[in-house]
Amino acid sequence: DHEQARELLRSKIRSIPDFPSPGILFRDITPALADAEAFTAAVELHLHHIADLDGQLDAIVGMEARGFLFGPILAHRLNLAFVPARKPGKLPAETIAEDYALEYAKNTLQIHADALRPGARVLIVDDLLATGGTAAATTRLIERLGATVAAQLFMIELVALGGRAAQGDHRVEAVLQF
Ligand code: PRP
Ligand code: ADE
């Protein structure tokens, strides 16, 4: 059942102190990806969290790089488009950009200007919500294109970092909380 799957998945998240900088407790999802049973559990749990949005979505936007792990899998399972939000200088056609701060760095994300049609209903997918800077920047990109964010879905929410509050009124779903 779902609680058993959640406990299996939780047991495969590895915590590494002081990575990538002192004071950061890095939640490493690679052991969950490396275990086929946990990987399957993760995909099914992601789908479970947004089951009520069935038929109400047009596209998934995933953020480079770890949003590319589950985003395309979920898009395929739900028969949705997948649109990448990428680090600067990677997308070849016309882009729009947003700067943001995250738990341990600053960066910029870009999206292709023609990637979403106005009115498109979007699910944001990333591995982890920390301060929420990355997700908020992605929401701004999507809304600047005239699309709407139906929900944001993460495998992990780091509750103490307050990323949920940084998303305003947007719906936030997380498979695991730490
Ligand atoms: C990580 C993670 C999220 C973001 C969360 O990405 O995958 O995208 O940080 O942090 P925030 O909520 O404080 O913004 P990172 O920028 O490290 O890049 P990566 O996916 O390329 O590893
Ligand atoms: N991205 C931002 N903060 C993180 C953390 N503590 N662990 C893994 N990825 C992160």
Side-chain angles (χ1 to χ4, degrees):
D1 64 354
H2 289 127
E3 282 325 301
Q4 228 173 331
R6 220 181 288 281
E7 284 320 303
L8 170 66
L9 184 59
R10 180 180 282 275
S11 76
K12 299 292 178 183
I13 306 301
R14 174 166 65 181
S15 299
I16 314 266
D18 300 316
F19 181 90
S21 41
I24 302 293
L25 182 59
F26 193 88
R27 305 293 186 170
D28 176 21
I29 69 166
T30 65
L33 304 174
D35 180 299
E37 201 186 337
F39 198 174
T40 297
V43 172
E44 298 307 326
L45 286 165
H46 278 81
L47 290 167
H48 174 64
H49 272 263
I50 49 139
D52 63 296
L53 292 176
D54 192 25
Q56 298 174 46
L57 296 169
D58 300 300
I60 288 178
V61 170
M63 300 82 120
E64 184 175 1
R66 283 177 262 153
F68 296 177
L69 295 170
F70 287 99
I73 292 173
L74 299 176
H76 182 67
R77 284 284 296 267
L78 296 169
N79 196 27
L80 300 174
F82 179 77
V83 173
R86 296 210 60 181
K87 305 277 164 72
K90 301 288 189 181
L91 290 170
E94 185 191 342
T95 58
I96 61 168
E98 287 282 340
D99 298 327
Y100 62 98
L102 68 157
E103 193 186 1
Y104 42 65
K106 284 167 95 158
N107 216 322
T108 301
L109 279 176
Q110 298 181 328
I111 196 167
H112 271 145
D114 64 355
L116 294 167
R117 62 159 182 79
R121 300 161 299 179
V122 175
L123 175 70
I124 291 176
V125 172
D126 203 357
D127 68 323
L128 184 142
L129 178 68
T131 65
T134 305
T138 304
T139 295
R140 293 196 298 275
L141 289 171
I142 292 164
E143 292 180 345
R144 279 173 63 191
L145 295 182
T148 62
V149 175
Q152 306 179 349
L153 175 60
F154 304 91
M155 182 156 102
I156 295 172
E157 175 186 4
L158 302 183
V159 176
L161 292 173
R164 188 178 284 265
Q167 308 313 312
D169 289 339
H170 288 99
R171 172 172 166 187
V172 173
E173 294 286 340
V175 173
L176 301 174
Q177 294 183 320
F178 284 90

